[in-house]
Amino acid sequence: RNGDGRAVLRSSVREFLCSEAMHYLGIPTSRAASLVVSDDDVWRDQFYNGNVKKERGAIVLRLAKSWFRIGSLEILAHSGELDLQRRLLDFIIQEHFPSIAMNDSNKYLEFFSTVLSETANLIALWMSVGFAHGVCNTDNFSLLSITIDYGPFGFMESYDPNFVPNTSDDERRYKIGNQANVGLFNLSKLLQALKPLLDPRQKQLASHILEGYGELYYSRFTELFKRKLGLLGENEDDNYLIALLLKVSLLC
Protein backbone atom coordinates (compact mmCIF):
# COMPACT_ATOMS: atom_id res chain seq x y z
CA ARG A 1 0.00 0.00 0.00
CA ASN A 2 2.97 2.28 -0.68
CA GLY A 3 3.82 2.68 3.03
CA ASP A 4 7.41 2.81 4.26
CA GLY A 5 6.72 0.91 7.49
CA ARG A 6 8.33 3.57 9.66
CA ALA A 7 7.00 5.33 12.74
CA VAL A 8 7.52 8.97 13.66
CA LEU A 9 8.47 10.24 17.10
CA ARG A 10 5.07 11.75 17.98
CA SER A 11 3.16 8.53 17.25
CA SER A 12 5.79 6.47 19.07
CA VAL A 13 5.43 8.61 22.19
CA ARG A 14 1.65 8.12 22.03
CA GLU A 15 2.13 4.37 21.70
CA PHE A 16 4.51 4.27 24.66
CA LEU A 17 2.20 6.30 26.89
CA CYS A 18 -0.98 4.51 25.88
CA SER A 19 0.30 0.99 26.49
CA GLU A 20 1.50 2.02 29.96
CA ALA A 21 -1.81 3.76 30.68
CA MET A 22 -3.72 0.64 29.62
CA HIS A 23 -1.55 -1.48 31.93
CA TYR A 24 -2.28 0.71 34.92
CA LEU A 25 -5.97 0.79 34.03
CA GLY A 26 -5.89 -2.98 34.52
CA ILE A 27 -6.34 -3.87 30.87
CA PRO A 28 -4.21 -6.75 29.50
CA THR A 29 -1.64 -5.23 27.17
CA SER A 30 1.86 -5.37 25.79
CA ARG A 31 4.27 -3.05 27.63
CA ALA A 32 6.64 -0.43 26.27
CA ALA A 33 10.24 -1.16 27.29
CA SER A 34 12.07 1.61 25.46
CA LEU A 35 11.74 4.40 22.92
CA VAL A 36 14.65 4.99 20.56
CA VAL A 37 14.82 8.08 18.37
CA SER A 38 16.20 7.48 14.89
CA ASP A 39 18.40 9.75 12.81
CA ASP A 40 16.37 8.83 9.75
CA ASP A 41 14.00 11.40 8.33
CA VAL A 42 10.40 10.32 7.76
CA TRP A 43 7.98 12.25 5.57
CA ARG A 44 4.41 12.44 6.85
CA ASP A 45 1.19 14.32 6.16
CA GLN A 46 0.23 14.70 9.81
CA PHE A 47 -3.19 16.28 9.28
CA TYR A 48 -3.95 14.62 5.91
CA ASN A 49 -4.29 18.01 4.24
CA GLY A 50 -1.59 17.58 1.62
CA ASN A 51 1.05 19.35 3.72
CA VAL A 52 3.87 16.77 3.91
CA LYS A 53 6.65 17.54 6.40
CA LYS A 54 9.88 15.92 7.51
CA GLU A 55 9.75 14.33 10.98
CA ARG A 56 12.05 12.36 13.26
CA GLY A 57 11.67 8.60 13.12
CA ALA A 58 11.51 6.41 16.21
CA ILE A 59 11.22 2.79 17.33
CA VAL A 60 9.25 1.49 20.32
CA LEU A 61 10.38 -1.81 21.87
CA ARG A 62 7.29 -3.60 23.16
CA LEU A 63 7.18 -6.67 25.38
CA ALA A 64 4.51 -9.34 25.75
CA LYS A 65 4.31 -12.94 26.94
CA SER A 66 3.50 -13.95 23.39
CA TRP A 67 2.93 -12.35 20.00
CA PHE A 68 0.89 -15.22 18.57
CA ARG A 69 -2.35 -13.98 17.06
CA ILE A 70 -5.47 -15.49 15.54
CA GLY A 71 -3.83 -14.81 12.20
CA SER A 72 -0.87 -17.01 13.18
CA LEU A 73 -3.16 -20.06 13.03
CA GLU A 74 -5.35 -18.75 10.25
CA ILE A 75 -2.51 -18.46 7.76
CA LEU A 76 -1.34 -22.04 8.40
CA ALA A 77 -4.85 -23.44 7.99
CA HIS A 78 -5.32 -21.42 4.80
CA SER A 79 -2.13 -22.85 3.31
CA GLY A 80 -2.98 -26.40 4.40
CA GLU A 81 0.02 -26.76 6.72
CA LEU A 82 -1.96 -28.73 9.29
CA ASP A 83 0.99 -30.56 10.85
CA LEU A 84 2.77 -27.29 11.50
CA GLN A 85 -0.45 -25.74 12.74
CA ARG A 86 -0.95 -28.61 15.19
CA ARG A 87 2.63 -28.31 16.45
CA LEU A 88 2.31 -24.55 16.89
CA LEU A 89 -1.03 -24.89 18.67
CA ASP A 90 0.36 -27.53 21.03
CA PHE A 91 3.28 -25.23 21.82
CA ILE A 92 0.99 -22.28 22.54
CA ILE A 93 -1.24 -24.37 24.82
CA GLN A 94 1.69 -25.90 26.67
CA GLU A 95 3.43 -22.55 27.18
CA HIS A 96 0.50 -20.24 27.88
CA PHE A 97 -2.59 -22.27 28.84
CA PRO A 98 -1.52 -24.34 31.87
CA SER A 99 -5.13 -25.13 32.80
CA ILE A 100 -5.48 -27.25 29.64
CA ALA A 101 -4.04 -30.77 29.87
CA MET A 102 -1.98 -31.74 26.84
CA ASN A 103 -3.34 -35.31 26.95
CA ASP A 104 -6.95 -34.08 26.89
CA SER A 105 -8.63 -35.13 23.66
CA ASN A 106 -10.68 -31.90 23.85
CA LYS A 107 -7.69 -29.61 24.34
CA TYR A 108 -8.30 -27.63 21.15
CA LEU A 109 -11.94 -27.19 22.09
CA GLU A 110 -10.91 -25.97 25.56
CA PHE A 111 -8.40 -23.64 23.96
CA PHE A 112 -11.05 -22.10 21.72
CA SER A 113 -13.46 -21.68 24.63
CA THR A 114 -10.79 -19.93 26.72
CA VAL A 115 -9.71 -17.58 23.92
CA LEU A 116 -13.35 -16.70 23.21
CA SER A 117 -14.10 -15.91 26.85
CA GLU A 118 -10.96 -13.82 27.34
CA THR A 119 -11.48 -11.95 24.06
CA ALA A 120 -14.99 -10.99 25.16
CA ASN A 121 -13.53 -9.78 28.45
CA LEU A 122 -10.80 -7.76 26.72
CA ILE A 123 -13.18 -5.93 24.40
CA ALA A 124 -15.54 -5.18 27.30
CA LEU A 125 -12.56 -3.67 29.14
CA TRP A 126 -11.71 -1.56 26.09
CA MET A 127 -15.26 -0.29 26.00
CA SER A 128 -15.26 0.47 29.72
CA VAL A 129 -12.52 3.09 29.23
CA GLY A 130 -13.62 4.29 25.79
CA PHE A 131 -10.61 2.77 24.00
CA ALA A 132 -10.99 2.29 20.25
CA HIS A 133 -8.63 -0.08 18.45
CA GLY A 134 -8.14 1.22 14.93
CA VAL A 135 -7.39 -2.06 13.12
CA CYS A 136 -9.23 -5.02 14.67
CA ASN A 137 -8.24 -7.67 12.14
CA THR A 138 -7.22 -11.25 12.97
CA ASP A 139 -3.54 -10.36 12.82
CA ASN A 140 -3.98 -7.81 15.61
CA PHE A 141 -6.01 -10.05 17.95
CA SER A 142 -3.79 -11.87 20.42
CA LEU A 143 -4.43 -15.52 21.26
CA LEU A 144 -3.59 -14.55 24.84
CA SER A 145 -6.23 -11.80 24.69
CA ILE A 146 -3.92 -8.87 25.34
CA THR A 147 -3.81 -5.53 23.53
CA ILE A 148 -0.85 -5.98 21.22
CA ASP A 149 -1.25 -3.37 18.51
CA TYR A 150 -1.08 0.40 18.96
CA GLY A 151 -1.21 1.58 15.40
CA PRO A 152 -4.24 3.80 14.90
CA PHE A 153 -6.04 4.03 18.25
CA GLY A 154 -7.88 6.58 20.32
CA PHE A 155 -9.96 7.28 23.40
CA MET A 156 -13.39 8.83 23.03
CA GLU A 157 -13.58 12.35 24.42
CA SER A 158 -17.34 11.86 24.77
CA TYR A 159 -19.56 8.87 24.10
CA ASP A 160 -20.02 8.25 20.40
CA PRO A 161 -20.54 4.68 19.09
CA ASN A 162 -19.45 5.89 15.63
CA PHE A 163 -16.05 7.09 16.86
CA VAL A 164 -13.24 5.90 14.55
CA PRO A 165 -9.57 6.58 15.39
CA ASN A 166 -8.28 5.39 12.00
CA THR A 167 -8.50 8.01 9.24
CA SER A 168 -8.11 5.31 6.57
CA ASP A 169 -11.18 3.40 7.81
CA ASP A 170 -13.60 5.06 5.42
CA GLU A 171 -16.26 2.38 5.90
CA ARG A 172 -16.13 2.70 9.72
CA ARG A 173 -15.64 -1.05 10.01
CA TYR A 174 -13.65 -0.62 13.22
CA LYS A 175 -15.74 2.10 14.85
CA ILE A 176 -15.87 1.68 18.61
CA GLY A 177 -19.52 0.63 18.55
CA ASN A 178 -18.62 -2.30 16.29
CA GLN A 179 -15.65 -3.68 18.25
CA ALA A 180 -17.63 -6.46 19.92
CA ASN A 181 -19.04 -7.59 16.56
CA VAL A 182 -15.59 -7.55 14.98
CA GLY A 183 -14.38 -9.67 17.89
CA LEU A 184 -17.05 -12.23 17.03
CA PHE A 185 -16.00 -12.15 13.37
CA ASN A 186 -12.36 -12.78 14.30
CA LEU A 187 -13.30 -15.64 16.63
CA SER A 188 -15.33 -17.21 13.83
CA LYS A 189 -12.16 -17.08 11.72
CA LEU A 190 -10.26 -18.77 14.55
CA LEU A 191 -12.85 -21.53 14.67
CA GLN A 192 -12.61 -21.93 10.91
CA ALA A 193 -8.85 -22.37 11.28
CA LEU A 194 -9.26 -24.94 14.05
CA LYS A 195 -11.94 -27.05 12.36
CA PRO A 196 -9.50 -29.29 10.42
CA LEU A 197 -8.14 -30.37 13.83
CA LEU A 198 -11.56 -31.12 15.36
CA ASP A 199 -13.80 -34.17 15.01
CA PRO A 200 -17.50 -33.75 14.06
CA ARG A 201 -18.69 -33.70 17.68
CA GLN A 202 -16.09 -31.11 18.67
CA LYS A 203 -16.99 -28.94 15.69
CA GLN A 204 -20.61 -28.89 16.81
CA LEU A 205 -19.64 -28.03 20.39
CA ALA A 206 -17.30 -25.29 19.18
CA SER A 207 -20.14 -23.73 17.18
CA HIS A 208 -22.27 -23.65 20.34
CA ILE A 209 -19.40 -22.01 22.20
CA LEU A 210 -19.15 -19.35 19.49
CA GLU A 211 -22.89 -18.69 19.78
CA GLY A 212 -22.37 -17.90 23.47
CA TYR A 213 -19.92 -15.07 22.77
CA GLY A 214 -22.56 -12.35 22.77
CA GLU A 215 -23.90 -13.33 26.17
CA LEU A 216 -20.39 -13.49 27.65
CA TYR A 217 -19.48 -10.07 26.27
CA TYR A 218 -22.73 -8.43 27.36
CA SER A 219 -22.45 -9.92 30.86
CA ARG A 220 -18.91 -8.59 31.31
CA PHE A 221 -19.81 -5.21 29.77
CA THR A 222 -22.74 -4.88 32.18
CA GLU A 223 -20.62 -5.90 35.15
CA LEU A 224 -18.00 -3.26 34.37
CA PHE A 225 -20.52 -0.46 33.88
CA LYS A 226 -22.42 -1.39 37.05
CA ARG A 227 -19.15 -1.11 38.93
CA LYS A 228 -18.60 2.35 37.46
CA LEU A 229 -22.07 3.41 38.61
CA GLY A 230 -21.72 1.84 42.05
CA LEU A 231 -24.69 -0.47 41.47
CA LEU A 232 -24.79 -3.31 43.97
CA GLY A 233 -26.56 -6.64 43.61
CA GLU A 234 -28.87 -7.52 40.75
CA ASN A 235 -31.79 -5.42 39.53
CA GLU A 236 -33.78 -5.92 36.35
CA ASP A 237 -33.56 -2.17 35.67
CA ASP A 238 -29.74 -2.06 35.72
CA ASN A 239 -29.34 -2.68 32.00
CA TYR A 240 -32.01 -0.10 31.20
CA LEU A 241 -30.21 2.49 33.36
CA ILE A 242 -26.86 1.83 31.65
CA ALA A 243 -28.41 2.11 28.19
CA LEU A 244 -30.26 5.29 29.20
CA LEU A 245 -27.12 6.98 30.54
CA LEU A 246 -25.17 6.10 27.39
CA LYS A 247 -27.98 7.53 25.27
CA VAL A 248 -28.03 10.70 27.36
CA SER A 249 -24.24 10.98 26.94
CA LEU A 250 -24.66 10.69 23.17
CA LEU A 251 -27.19 13.54 23.15
CA CYS A 252 -25.08 15.86 25.32
Side-chain angles (χ1 to χ4, degrees), residues 9 22 61 115-116 124 131 230:
L9 179 57
M22 293 282 273
L61 172 61
V115 173
L116 181 140
F131 174 79

Side-chain angles (χ1 to χ4, degrees), residues 76-99:
L76 293 176
H78 180 73
S79 59
E81 298 183 74
L82 299 186
D83 288 340
L84 181 56
Q85 182 188 1
R86 185 178 288 104
R87 287 166 54 196
L88 175 60
L89 190 51
D90 287 347
F91 173 81
I92 292 171
I93 293 172
Q94 187 170 12
E95 290 293 315
H96 301 292
F97 293 81
S99 63

Side-chain angles (χ1 to χ4, degrees), residues 74-250:
E74 189 181 17
I75 193 172
L76 293 176
H78 180 73
S79 59
E81 298 183 74
L82 299 186
D83 288 340
L84 181 56
Q85 182 188 1
R86 185 178 288 104
R87 287 166 54 196
L88 175 60
L89 190 51
D90 287 347
F91 173 81
I92 292 171
I93 293 172
Q94 187 170 12
E95 290 293 315
H96 301 292
F97 293 81
S99 63
I100 301 176
M102 294 304 297
N103 59 356
D104 186 348
S105 61
N106 291 316
K107 60 184 176 181
Y108 298 149
L109 190 65
E110 292 294 327
F111 167 79
F112 177 67
S113 178
T114 302
V115 173
L116 181 140
S117 177
E118 292 303 316
T119 298
N121 176 60
L122 176 64
I123 298 177
L125 284 167
W126 286 354
M127 296 296 289
S128 74
V129 298
F131 174 79
H133 193 301
V135 188
C136 296
N137 56 34
T138 56
D139 204 38
N140 287 332
F141 262 54
S142 162
L143 289 171
L144 272 62
S145 303
I146 60 177
T147 313
I148 58 172
D149 184 76
Y150 289 95
F153 73 86
F155 289 92
M156 288 188 296
E157 296 296 330
S158 58
Y159 179 69
D160 178 7
N162 291 315
F163 173 67
V164 177
N166 185 356
T167 56
S168 65
D169 187 4
D170 299 328
E171 298 178 357
R172 295 181 177 270
R173 173 176 172 79
Y174 301 128
K175 63 183 181 181
I176 194 169
N178 199 39
Q179 288 188 144
N181 291 331
V182 172
L184 177 60
F185 175 86
N186 290 341
L187 289 165
S188 69
K189 291 297 183 182
L190 174 60
L191 176 54
Q192 186 176 335
L194 292 176
K195 277 186 175 180
L197 307 180
L198 304 177
D199 62 34
R201 180 189 65 86
Q202 291 170 335
K203 290 177 183 178
Q204 186 175 18
L205 289 172
S207 295
H208 287 310
I209 291 170
L210 184 64
E211 290 172 2
Y213 166 83
E215 184 177 346
L216 281 172
Y217 168 77
Y218 191 65
S219 174
R220 182 60 173 144
F221 175 91
T222 303
E223 176 189 341
L224 290 166
F225 274 79
K226 285 177 62 177
R227 186 185 304 169
K228 284 176 172 287
L229 295 170
L231 300 177
L232 304 176
E234 297 292 334
N235 188 299
E236 61 182 12
D237 293 330
D238 288 346
N239 292 338
Y240 171 78
L241 178 60
I242 293 170
L244 176 64
L245 291 174
L246 290 175
K247 186 175 181 179
V248 170
S249 299
L250 180 60

